[in-house]
C-alpha cells in the first residue's frame, strides 16, 4: 500500500481520507459488508455511502487499512478510489461508523453532478503559479472555523457555516467578485480557483460554478492535504494549519500533527491563545462558544468531563468519549 512514509515510529496509525463519486444502484446493500470488514480489521472512523458514491476517513494499522481499501476498490467503479494517506501517533477516532446519506458531501443542490461536469484539476506543484496570477480569484470552499486555522495566501473566505451555504454565497457575491477582480479591470475574464481539505467539496463546487456559467474553473487536485504533503514548506503559499475532522484536530506541512486542540462543546479548533482565555474551560467551553451555551449546559459538560477524567484514571473508555465523532 502506498502510504505516507514517516521517520517517527511513534506515528503508528495509518489515516486514509478517501472518496469516489460513482452511482451506486443499491448503496444500502453495501453498508453491512463494509462495516464488517472495517471491524474485522480493527479500523475506526466514518464512512458515508450515498447513491452518488462513498466518502470518509478511517484509521488503523497499515494492513487493516489495506484490507478495507481492497474491499472498497472492489465495489462498482471504485478501482480508481481517491485516497490521501497520513499518520497519527494515537488512534484519532473513537469508533467505527458506516452511515447512509443523501449526499456524501452535502451541498443541497441535487442537480449538481460532478460526474457530468467538473473544473480543471491542478497538480499541487502547479498550484502556486495559478493562485499567484492576478487574473485568478482564489476561493476557500471550507467552513469559517476551518479557514480561521489556516488558508492560502490571498484566498477569499466566504465565511460560511456549512457547505450548504456556499451556493447562496456565490450567487450573492458573483457579480461583485467578477467586477472587482484584477482581470476585469484589465478587460480580461477572471479565472476561479477553489480548494478544500481533500478535494471532495471542490468536485461539487467546481461543478456548481460551471453550471452557473463560469467557464474557467480550477481546483487543487488532492486538496490541501496533498499540497501540504507535496510542496516543500519553504516554497509554500499556505499559511497556518489545516483542520482535519479527527482527534488530531490540525496538521501542518509534511502532514505532521498540528498545535490546536478541540473544544468538545462546539467542536471548533482551539489555539494556545484561546486556551489562555478566561472563557476557556477544558471539556466545557471555549471563547467561540461560551456565549452560545447556558450555565446549565456548561454544568452538564463539566460533569461529563469529570466522569471522563475519572474513567481515564481507571484505564477505561467513558461512554461520553464517543461524542467527539
Amino acid at each position: 500500500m502506498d502510504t505516507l512514509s514517516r521517520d517517527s515510529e511513534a506515528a503508528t496509525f495509518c489515516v486514509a481520507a478517501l472518496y469516489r463519486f460513482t452511482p451506486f444502484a443499491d448503496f444500502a446493500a453495501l453498508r453491512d459488508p463494509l462495516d464488517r470488514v472495517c471491524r474485522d480489521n480493527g479500523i475506526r472512523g466514518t464512512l458515508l455511502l450515498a447513491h452518488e458514491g462513498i466518502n470518509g476517513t478511517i484509521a488503523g494499522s497499515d494492513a487493516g487499512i489495506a484490507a478495507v481499501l481492497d474491499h472498497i476498490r472492489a465495489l462498482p467503479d471504485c478501482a480508481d478510489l481517491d485516497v490521501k494517506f497520513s499518520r497519527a501517533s494515537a488512534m484519532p477516532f473513537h469508533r467505527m461508523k458506516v452511515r447512509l446519506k443523501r449526499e456524501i458531501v452535502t451541498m443541497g443542490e441535487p442537480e449538481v453532478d460532478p460526474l457530468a461536469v467538473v473544473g480543471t484539476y491542478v497538480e499541487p506543484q502547479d498550484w502556486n503559479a495559478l493562485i499567484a496570477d492576478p487574473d485568478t480569484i482564489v476561493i476557500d470552499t471550507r467552513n469559517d472555523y476551518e479557514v480561521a486555522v489556516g488558508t492560502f495566501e490571498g484566498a477569499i473566505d466566504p465565511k460560511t457555516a456549512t457547505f450548504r451555504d456556499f451556493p447562496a454565497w456565490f450567487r450573492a457575491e458573483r457579480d461583485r467578485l467578477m467586477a472587482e477582480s484584477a482581470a476585469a479591470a484589465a478587460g480580461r475574464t477572471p479565472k476561479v480557483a477553489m480548494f478544500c481539505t481533500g478535494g471532495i467539496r471542490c468536485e461539487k463546487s467546481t461543478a456548481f460554478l460551471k453550471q452557473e456559467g463560469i467557464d474557467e474553473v480550477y481546483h487543487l487536485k488532492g486538496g490541501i492535504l496533498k499540497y501540504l504533503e507535496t510542496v516543500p514548506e519553504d516554497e509554500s503559499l499556505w499559511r497556518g494549519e489545516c483542520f482535519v475532522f479527527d482527534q488530531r484536530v490540525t496538521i501542518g506541512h509534511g502532514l505532521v500533527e498540528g498545535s490546536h486542540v478541540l473544544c468538545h462543546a462546539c467542536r471548533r479548533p482551539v489555539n494556545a491563545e484561546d486556551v489562555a482565555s478566561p472563557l476557556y474551560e477544558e471539556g466545557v467551553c471555549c471563547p467561540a462558544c461560551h456565549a452560545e451555551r447556558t450555565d446549565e449546559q456548561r454544568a452538564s459538560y463539566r460533569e461529563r468531563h469529570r466522569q471522563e477524567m475519572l474513567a481515564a484514571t481507571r484505564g477505561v473508555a467513558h461512554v461520553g468519549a464517543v461524542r467527539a465523532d
Side-chain angles (χ1 to χ4, degrees), residues 304-321:
R304 182 177 59 189
H305 184 64
R306 188 182 74 85
Q307 292 294 334
E308 289 175 356
M309 294 300 99
L310 288 173
T313 62
R314 301 187 188 107
V316 298
H318 184 262
V319 66

Side-chain angles (χ1 to χ4, degrees), residues 124 127-128 131 138-143 145-155 194-198 220 223-229 231-244 250-256 260:
W127 182 249
N128 286 357
I131 67 174
V138 186
I139 302 175
D140 194 329
T141 67
R142 300 172 304 149
N143 301 333
Y145 61 89
E146 299 173 78
V147 180
V149 172
T151 191
F152 280 107
E153 189 175 292
M194 295 187 286
F195 62 92
C196 59
T197 307
L220 177 59
I224 301 163
L225 297 180
K226 197 64 180 176
Y227 182 92
L228 293 178
E229 177 188 351
V231 177
E233 186 171 359
D234 60 357
E235 299 175 12
S236 175
L237 296 181
W238 178 262
R239 302 294 178 259
E241 297 178 353
C242 177
F243 181 82
V244 289
T250 59
I251 58 175
H253 286 91
L255 303 186
V256 297
H260 289 68

Side-chain angles (χ1 to χ4, degrees), residues 67-85:
V68 173
L69 294 181
D70 285 345
H71 177 91
I72 296 174
R73 286 179 172 131
L75 298 177
D77 192 37
C78 285
D80 293 328
L81 182 74
D82 187 287
V83 187
K84 270 82 63 182
F85 296 105

Side-chain angles (χ1 to χ4, degrees), residues 34-308:
L34 180 56
D35 184 72
R36 190 177 308 115
V37 74
C38 288
R39 295 182 187 279
D40 287 349
N41 285 278
I43 300 302
R44 298 181 188 178
T46 300
L47 292 172
L48 306 180
L49 289 166
H51 175 67
E52 67 181 8
I54 184 170
N55 174 33
T57 305
I58 53 177
S61 68
D62 285 40
I65 292 293
V68 173
L69 294 181
D70 285 345
H71 177 91
I72 296 174
R73 286 179 172 131
L75 298 177
D77 192 37
C78 285
D80 293 328
L81 182 74
D82 187 287
V83 187
K84 270 82 63 182
F85 296 105
S86 56
R87 309 295 297 191
S89 57
M91 169 55 78
F93 298 104
H94 292 297
R95 56 178 176 169
M96 185 66 225
K97 298 176 290 184
V98 182
R99 291 180 166 173
L100 304 180
K101 307 287 281 186
R102 291 185 178 180
E103 299 178 71
I104 57 173
V105 57
T106 304
M107 190 181 211
E109 296 281 333
E111 68 280 6
V112 171
D113 183 4
L115 294 177
V117 62
V118 73
T120 301
Y121 295 100
V122 180
E123 296 291 343
Q125 59 268 29
D126 300 323
W127 182 249
N128 286 357
L130 174 65
I131 67 174
D133 184 343
D135 284 357
T136 304
I137 299 170
V138 186
I139 302 175
D140 194 329
T141 67
R142 300 172 304 149
N143 301 333
D144 50 8
Y145 61 89
E146 299 173 78
V147 180
V149 172
T151 191
F152 280 107
E153 189 175 292
I156 295 169
D157 176 10
K159 301 187 185 303
T160 50
T162 73
F163 191 47
R164 275 184 174 274
D165 300 332
F166 183 83
W169 172 82
F170 182 78
R171 286 170 177 145
E173 298 294 325
R174 171 182 174 164
D175 291 345
R176 182 186 64 80
L177 291 173
M178 296 298 175
E180 293 180 359
S181 68
R188 296 186 294 271
T189 301
K191 296 173 284 190
V192 178
M194 295 187 286
F195 62 92
C196 59
T197 307
I200 186 171
R201 277 179 274 194
C202 286
E203 298 279 1
K204 283 197 171 181
S205 63
T206 58
F208 169 73
L209 260 67
K210 297 284 279 189
Q211 179 182 286
E212 293 289 301
I214 305 299
D215 293 325
E216 287 200 76
V217 185
Y218 302 84
H219 55 130
L220 177 59
K221 188 175 182 180
I224 301 163
L225 297 180
K226 197 64 180 176
Y227 182 92
L228 293 178
E229 177 188 351
T230 306
V231 177
E233 186 171 359
D234 60 357
E235 299 175 12
S236 175
L237 296 181
W238 178 262
R239 302 294 178 259
E241 297 178 353
C242 177
F243 181 82
V244 289
F245 294 87
D246 60 57
Q247 293 303 300
R248 292 173 298 171
V249 187
T250 59
I251 58 175
H253 286 91
L255 303 186
V256 297
E257 295 180 36
S259 61
H260 289 68
V261 297
L262 197 68
C263 172
H264 290 294
C266 67
R267 293 195 51 76
R268 293 183 179 102
V270 178
N271 60 25
E273 183 179 349
D274 294 329
V275 171
S277 168
L279 299 181
Y280 176 78
E281 184 177 349
E282 184 180 359
V284 178
C285 60
C286 70
C289 73
H290 186 275
E292 300 172 353
R293 303 294 192 268
T294 65
D295 289 341
E296 290 76 12
Q297 287 175 312
R298 283 192 287 273
S300 175
Y301 298 156
R302 195 171 289 116
E303 175 58 23
R304 182 177 59 189
H305 184 64
R306 188 182 74 85
Q307 292 294 334
E308 289 175 356

